[in-house]
């Protein structure tokens, strides 16, 4: 079992979704007309060129097509493991002119563990839409000796996991799975990122890794690596034979694993600051969903090797409520 994971309670309460709106702006007579002639800044809390950046940058022109008279700009605000940009979105004026794409699992784990630098409350965002849920896969090296997730669970030996960094969402996912299912995970978290960790697996430095499906599948294709589990509540059509982590363990264990998987089902969320006018937020959310569902955006994303899976606001809000209701199952496990 992982050491240092004694049960406890966290000093953070994740409440309801807080989507009543109207705290920061007055409801306009014509919410759609507000955006005519305005500029919307979409903040990406990562460097240019990565997956999060591509999701937003390719959306830019399609969102302009959906809102008459608006200009959309992308702003990269990297740093602090995405905390700098995430804080920037949260602290902006709630007028609908600053929105951004957050790493929902990362932000949830950062808040739940009391990470230094967190100045947001994940229950209070103005949620707009999901752009994608590139759920992670658990995979092992060709010669690791672990060809299935059940073999990992049954192992009497420590399983070495290569992770991009301590405190990353992949780190906490590993901690939770190992603690809940009772296998010994030795986490090596000194790699510079997911790509370096995956490379370590391919040369046999570590047994296992966790990374988003789109990124990992490209790197491990043809290497003989074993894809053992998907951290999701829903199957991935690209991986029809890969089991979900929610299929393992008894009913109590599956409840905790479902709480983990649900966070990843909301991975890439486009949000606005708390307190945005509700009618204006719905106009913006509808436009974002239409842009992310357009044939042009889907084709451009697929050409970039990424899988969009837009989800409209009502469903996002429902899933967020479920996550907030179950986060207490995870807090004792990931207590620092």
């Amino acid at each position: 079992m992982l050491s240092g994971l004694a049960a406890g309670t966290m000093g953070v309460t994740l409440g309801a979704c807080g989507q009543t709106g109207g705290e920061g702006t007055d409801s306009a007579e014509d919410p759609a007309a507000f955006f005519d002639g305005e500029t919307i800044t979409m903040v990406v809390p990562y460097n240019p060129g990565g997956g999060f950046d591509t999701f937003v940058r390719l959306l830019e022109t399609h969102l302009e097509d959906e809102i008459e008279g608006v200009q959309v700009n992308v702003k990269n605000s990297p740093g602090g493991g995405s905390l700098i940009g995430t804080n920037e979105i949260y602290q902006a004026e709630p007028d609908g002119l600053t929105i951004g794409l957050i790493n929902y699992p990362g932000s949830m784990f950062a808040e739940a563990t009391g990470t230094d630098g967190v100045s947001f409350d994940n229950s209070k965002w103005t949620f707009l839409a999901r752009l994608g849920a590139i759920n992670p896969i658990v995979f092992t090296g060709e010669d690791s000796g672990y060809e299935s997730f059940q073999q990992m669970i049954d192992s009497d030996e420590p399983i070495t996991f290569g992770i991009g960094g301590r405190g990353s969402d992949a780190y906490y996912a590993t901690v939770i799975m190992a603690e809940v299912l009772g296998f010994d995970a030795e986490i090596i978290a000194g790699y510079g990122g997911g790509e370096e960790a995956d490379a370590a697996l391919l040369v046999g430095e570590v047994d296992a890794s966790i990374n988003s499906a789109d990124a990992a599948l490209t790197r491990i294709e043809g290497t003989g690596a074993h894809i053992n589990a998907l951290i999701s509540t829903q199957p991935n059509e690209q991986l029809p034979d890969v089991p979900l982590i929610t299929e393992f363990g008894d009913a109590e264990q599956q409840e905790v694993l479902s709480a983990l998987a649900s966070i990843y089902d909301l991975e890439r969320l486009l949000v606005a600051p708390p307190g945005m006018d509700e009618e204006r937020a719905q106009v913006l959310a509808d436009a974002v969903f239409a842009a992310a569902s357009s044939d042009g955006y889907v084709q451009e994303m697929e050409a970039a090797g990424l899988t969009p899976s837009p989800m409209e606001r009502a469903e996002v809000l429902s899933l967020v409520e479920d996550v907030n209701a179950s986060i207490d199952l995870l807090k004792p496990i990931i207590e620092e």
Side-chain angles (χ1 to χ4, degrees):
M1 299 282 284
L2 281 160
S3 60
L5 296 176
T9 57
M10 308 301 298
V12 179
T13 300
L14 301 180
C17 296
Q19 293 298 311
T20 55
E23 296 175 15
T25 58
D26 293 330
S27 179
E29 290 184 7
D30 184 354
F34 165 80
F35 294 101
D36 194 354
E38 300 285 354
T39 298
I40 294 175
T41 298
M42 292 197 293
V43 177
V44 182
Y46 297 98
N47 287 313
F52 274 79
D53 182 67
T54 302
F55 262 85
V56 172
R57 204 163 290 278
L58 292 181
L59 186 71
E60 188 175 357
T61 57
H62 298 286
L63 185 55
E64 289 176 341
D65 291 341
E66 295 296 332
I67 305 178
E68 184 174 356
V70 79
Q71 179 177 332
V72 180
N73 293 334
V74 176
K75 177 186 178 184
N76 295 90
S77 295
S82 84
L83 290 183
I84 289 177
T86 304
N87 287 335
E88 180 180 341
I89 302 163
Y90 191 84
Q91 295 164 1
E93 288 295 321
D95 54 10
L97 300 181
T98 301
I99 62 178
L101 189 65
I102 63 169
N103 176 348
Y104 186 65
S107 67
M108 289 294 289
F109 290 134
E111 183 185 12
T113 57
T115 299
D116 290 342
V118 171
S119 64
F120 50 81
D121 180 336
N122 284 299
S123 69
K124 294 183 178 179
W125 293 106
T126 299
F127 296 95
L128 299 175
R130 185 187 77 182
L131 296 188
I134 306 179
N135 298 69
I137 55 174
V138 182
F139 54 104
T140 53
E142 181 178 17
D143 299 323
S144 65
Y146 304 107
E147 298 183 8
S148 72
F149 197 58
Q150 190 61 53
Q151 286 182 331
M152 297 174 69
I153 296 171
D154 294 339
S155 176
D156 293 328
E157 300 293 328
I159 302 171
T160 55
F161 278 77
I163 301 296
R166 181 179 176 84
S168 66
D169 58 275
Y171 171 87
Y172 287 119
T174 305
V175 167
I176 291 167
M177 289 189 300
E179 179 72 8
V180 171
L181 294 171
F183 63 85
D184 189 354
E186 180 182 343
I187 300 177
I188 301 173
Y191 296 102
E195 186 172 358
E196 285 189 17
D198 293 352
L201 177 144
L202 293 177
V203 298
E205 288 182 10
V206 295
D207 298 318
S209 187
I210 295 177
N211 211 330
S212 65
D214 280 1
L217 290 175
T218 300
R219 294 171 190 152
I220 67 176
E221 184 178 6
T223 66
H226 309 287
I227 304 172
N228 295 344
L230 176 68
I231 305 178
S232 176
T233 64
Q234 300 294 325
N236 184 326
E237 62 182 18
Q238 295 180 307
L239 303 167
D241 299 324
V242 175
L244 307 177
I245 60 164
T246 54
E247 298 174 16
F248 296 91
D250 59 26
E252 185 176 352
Q253 292 168 317
Q254 289 176 2
E255 184 181 11
V256 181
L257 294 172
S258 292
L260 170 64
S262 294
I263 294 176
Y264 280 101
D265 289 343
L266 289 168
E267 188 210 16
R268 301 186 182 200
L269 286 184
L270 201 64
V271 297
M276 186 177 170
D277 173 77
E278 179 63 23
E279 292 183 359
R280 191 181 296 173
Q282 191 61 54
V283 166
L284 186 53
D286 290 343
V288 168
F289 181 73
S293 303
S294 66
D295 290 341
Y297 180 72
V298 171
Q299 291 169 5
E300 290 169 14
M301 287 290 289
E302 290 176 349
L306 294 169
T307 305
S309 53
M311 178 184 289
E312 59 186 345
R313 189 175 187 229
E315 189 171 357
V316 167
L317 293 178
S318 177
L319 290 181
V320 166
E321 287 187 2
D322 291 343
V323 169
N324 286 337
S326 63
I327 190 66
D328 286 341
L329 294 172
L330 304 179
K331 287 179 184 178
I333 302 172
I334 59 177
E335 182 182 25
E336 292 283 67

